[in-house]
């Protein structure tokens, strides 16, 4: 854990902090550029979304510090896990009862000026549930399976409950991500390949069935195949996204000079913020963002692969799926490679719940690194030199 990382940093944590700082800097510039017209017209303050972006970033930094200090071993405790599941299920039910509908979907709870998207909390909860349950089974040498009865069904049951509540909002894309995170965790835990094939086929068939069951989802699939079939209607958003990306060229139109944010591209500062970034910064800017996420992903993987604790390994892997996987999905969606699924690009898009939960998830991953370093330091002390009062590692933190 002490060796240099990519020849530039002493350890993966330094690389993660550097990438976060660069992404937040680029995201702040992009959010302001993409939103100041909308913010001026809606709130009379062109900096409305930018100020909230940095407020959420500060809250996220505090959450990351707090989670890292507490340690993942304490947060994966059975009591904490149960309490968090009850709270998240309650919030998802409240969304259906008192949630405010926006553009045909009710996905947010409003607490005064603050809006919370409970489905973001559900994603992290699934990762923690799987890490706790499957990690314990792996440590005990039990065989992990999707079809056995026992403790390994707890994450499956909660995932299905989360997904159904999110699907009812309706939000099929986020429900699919929640199920995908669980399946990815089980694959990492070592379920048989036959089960992966069966469940994968079932998931694809179910997703297709749900997509064609609702007319608006079927239209999205048609638009995904050819946005110009209805470029003034259902294909408008994707066409405008592709035009914004294409007009950026190699170096872009330069900051603030992109035309797509002038009410041409819907969701210009949220789900499709990457299109505005590409238009104003060109291929070079897009490559910059992708390289930052790639380096961050390498640092995540470095921590995961060096972790000997099963729960820590699964938790670090799940956080990698959550942050890097969603980043890839958003960029692919904006470029038309994937259908529109409503996934923000963390740090680059405006989205308070997404940013805070992503940074809290990074705090969990950093606590995995901390515990591994602490254990390595303890093991480096020769047995004959250890004293009775030597500090030991308990629950991921030093204690006397």
């Amino acid at each position: 854990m002490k060796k240099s990382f990519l020849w530039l940093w002493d350890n993966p944590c330094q690389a993660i902090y550097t990438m976060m700082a660069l992404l937040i800097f680029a995201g702040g510039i992009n959010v302001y550029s993409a939103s100041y017209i909308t913010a001026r017209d809606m709130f009379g303050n062109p900096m409305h979304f930018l100020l909230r972006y940095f407020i959420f970033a500060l809250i996220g930094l505090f959450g990351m510090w707090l989670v890292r200090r507490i340690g993942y071993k304490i947060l994966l405790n059975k009591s904490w896990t149960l309490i968090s599941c009850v709270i998240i299920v309650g919030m998802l039910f409240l969304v259906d009862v008192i949630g405010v509908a926006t553009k045909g979907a009710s996905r947010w709870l409003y607490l005064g000026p603050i809006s919370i998207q409970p489905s973001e909390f559900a994603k992290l909860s699934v990762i923690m549930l799987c890490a706790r349950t499957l990690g314990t089974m792996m440590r005990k040498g039990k065989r992990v399976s999707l079809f056995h009865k026992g403790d390994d069904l707890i994450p499956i049951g909660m995932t299905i409950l989360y997904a159904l509540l999110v699907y009812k909002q309706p939000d099929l894309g986020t429900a699919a991500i929640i199920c995908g995170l669980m399946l990815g965790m089980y694959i990492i835990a070592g379920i048989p390949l036959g089960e992966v094939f069966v469940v994968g086929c079932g998931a694809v068939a179910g997703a297709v069935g749900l997509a064609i069951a609702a007319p608006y989802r079927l239209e999205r699939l048609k638009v995904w195949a050819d946005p110009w079939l209805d470029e003034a209607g259902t294909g408008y958003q994707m066409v405008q996204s592709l035009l914004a990306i294409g007009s950026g060229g190699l170096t872009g139109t330069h900051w603030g000079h992109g035309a797509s944010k002038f009410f041409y591209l819907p969701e210009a500062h949220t789900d499709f913020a990457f299109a505005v970034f590409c238009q104003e910064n060109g291929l070079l800017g897009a490559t910059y963002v992708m390289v930052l996420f790639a380096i961050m992903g390498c640092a995540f993987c470095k921590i995961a692969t060096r972790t000997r604790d099963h729960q820590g390994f699964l938790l670090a892997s799940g956080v990698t799926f959550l942050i890097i996987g969603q980043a890839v999905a958003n960029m692919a969606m904006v470029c038309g490679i994937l259908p529109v699924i409503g996934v923000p690009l963390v740090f680059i898009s405006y989205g308070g719940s997404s940013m805070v939960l992503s940074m809290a998830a990074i705090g969990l991953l950093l606590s995995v690194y901390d515990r591994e370093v602490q254990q390595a330091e303890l093991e480096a002390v020769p047995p004959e030199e250890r004293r009775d009062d030597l500090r030991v590692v308990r629950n991921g933190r030093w204690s006397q």
Side-chain angles (χ1 to χ4, degrees), residues 66-81 128 131-140 307-315 363-372 374-375 393-398:
L66 182 62
V67 168
R68 184 180 184 182
R69 183 168 179 79
I70 294 172
Y72 76 98
K73 280 294 184 181
I74 293 178
L75 293 173
L76 291 186
N77 179 276
K78 186 176 182 179
S79 299
W80 278 101
T81 306
M128 295 176 68
R132 179 186 181 277
T133 304
L134 302 182
T136 301
M137 295 179 65
M138 292 171 66
R139 178 173 55 82
K140 294 180 178 179
T307 301
R308 292 166 291 178
D309 176 62
H310 294 298
Q311 289 184 344
F313 165 71
L314 289 171
L315 186 62
L364 280 171
L365 183 137
L366 295 177
S367 75
V368 173
Y369 174 84
D370 291 341
R371 186 174 190 271
E372 193 67 20
Q374 291 165 354
Q375 286 186 325
V393 178
R394 291 176 182 170
N395 295 326
R397 296 176 62 189
W398 281 111

Side-chain angles (χ1 to χ4, degrees), residues 270-299:
T270 55
D271 293 351
F272 281 79
F274 185 62
V276 176
F277 190 88
C278 291
Q279 184 176 46
E280 298 188 349
N281 299 279
L283 178 62
L284 295 179
T287 303
Y288 167 81
V289 170
M290 289 186 281
V291 168
L292 294 183
F293 275 111
I295 295 174
M296 180 177 282
C298 289

Side-chain angles (χ1 to χ4, degrees), residues 9 54-55 66 79 149 167 259 273 309 315 334 378:
W9 299 277
F54 282 113
I55 289 173
L66 182 62
S79 299
K149 295 180 180 179
Y167 172 73
D309 176 62
L315 186 62
V334 169
L378 180 62

Side-chain angles (χ1 to χ4, degrees), residues 92 119 122 161-171 174-175 178:
L92 290 172
S119 58
L161 179 58
Y162 288 157
L164 289 175
L165 291 172
V166 172
Y167 172 73
K168 194 175 183 298
Q169 293 179 355
D171 190 354
T174 301
I178 290 172

Side-chain angles (χ1 to χ4, degrees), residues 333-353:
M333 175 191 76
V334 169
C335 296
I337 300 173
L338 291 178
V340 178
I341 53 176
V343 177
L345 181 56
V346 64
F347 302 123
I348 300 299
S349 300
Y350 173 81
S353 296

Side-chain angles (χ1 to χ4, degrees), residues 53-184:
Y53 173 89
F54 282 113
I55 289 173
F56 285 124
L58 290 174
I59 295 173
L61 283 172
F62 174 76
M64 183 175 67
W65 170 83
L66 182 62
V67 168
R68 184 180 184 182
R69 183 168 179 79
I70 294 172
Y72 76 98
K73 280 294 184 181
I74 293 178
L75 293 173
L76 291 186
N77 179 276
K78 186 176 182 179
S79 299
W80 278 101
T81 306
L82 178 61
I83 292 171
S84 65
C85 289
V86 171
I87 292 174
I88 293 169
V89 170
M91 288 196 299
L92 290 172
F93 271 115
L94 284 176
V95 167
D96 187 46
V97 177
I98 62 173
V100 178
T102 304
K103 298 182 180 179
S106 180
R107 301 172 186 172
W108 291 269
L109 289 175
Y110 285 86
L111 303 174
I114 299 176
S115 61
I116 299 175
Q117 191 172 2
S119 58
E120 294 293 330
F121 292 80
K123 296 174 186 177
L124 186 55
S125 177
V126 165
I127 293 172
M128 295 176 68
L129 271 172
C130 289
R132 179 186 181 277
T133 304
L134 302 182
T136 301
M137 295 179 65
M138 292 171 66
R139 178 173 55 82
K140 294 180 178 179
K142 294 183 178 180
R143 181 173 177 268
V144 178
S145 172
L146 287 165
F147 304 115
H148 285 179
K149 295 180 180 179
D151 292 342
D152 51 342
L153 291 180
I154 295 175
I156 298 175
M158 289 307 303
T159 299
I160 292 173
L161 179 58
Y162 288 157
L164 289 175
L165 291 172
V166 172
Y167 172 73
K168 194 175 183 298
Q169 293 179 355
D171 190 354
L172 177 59
T174 301
I177 290 172
I178 290 172
C179 294
L181 286 170
M182 181 212 69
L183 182 59

